Amino acid sequence: MLKDDVKQMIDKLPENCSIEDIQYTLYVRSKIEKGQKDIDEGNVLSHDEVKARMDKWLNKQ
C-alpha cells in the first residue's frame, strides 16, 4: 500500500521535479502522518498549554 501511495504522489508532481522535490514531498507527508497519529493517540497540547509554553520561551530572551 505505501509503495502504491508513493507512486501516486510522485505521479502528481511535475515532470521536471527534482530529487529534492520528491524528498520534500515525502518528508511533508511523513510529518503530517506523524501529527495525525499523535492526535489519534491523544499526544496533543491544549491552546492554553501552548500559549503558556510560548510565553515562557519568549520571555527568556
Side-chain angles (χ1 to χ4, degrees):
M1 249 193 266
L2 178 61
K3 187 175 176 180
D4 290 334
D5 291 344
V6 170
K7 285 180 182 179
Q8 288 177 8
M9 194 171 27
I10 291 172
D11 286 341
K12 290 179 183 178
L13 292 172
E15 289 298 319
N16 63 345
C17 71
S18 67
I19 297 252
E20 289 82 10
D21 294 332
I22 295 169
Q23 288 174 320
Y24 179 73
T25 302
L26 291 170
Y27 170 80
V28 169
R29 178 181 169 152
S30 170
K31 293 300 181 181
I32 290 170
E33 288 178 356
K34 183 185 179 315
Q36 289 174 331
K37 182 181 174 195
D38 284 342
I39 290 169
D40 292 343
E41 293 175 355
N43 298 327
V44 295
L45 298 173
S46 71
H47 178 76
D48 290 336
E49 289 171 317
V50 172
K51 190 174 176 185
R53 286 184 182 197
M54 289 298 295
D55 286 343
K56 184 177 178 181
W57 180 73
L58 292 172
N59 290 328
K60 280 189 169 184
Q61 296 181 22

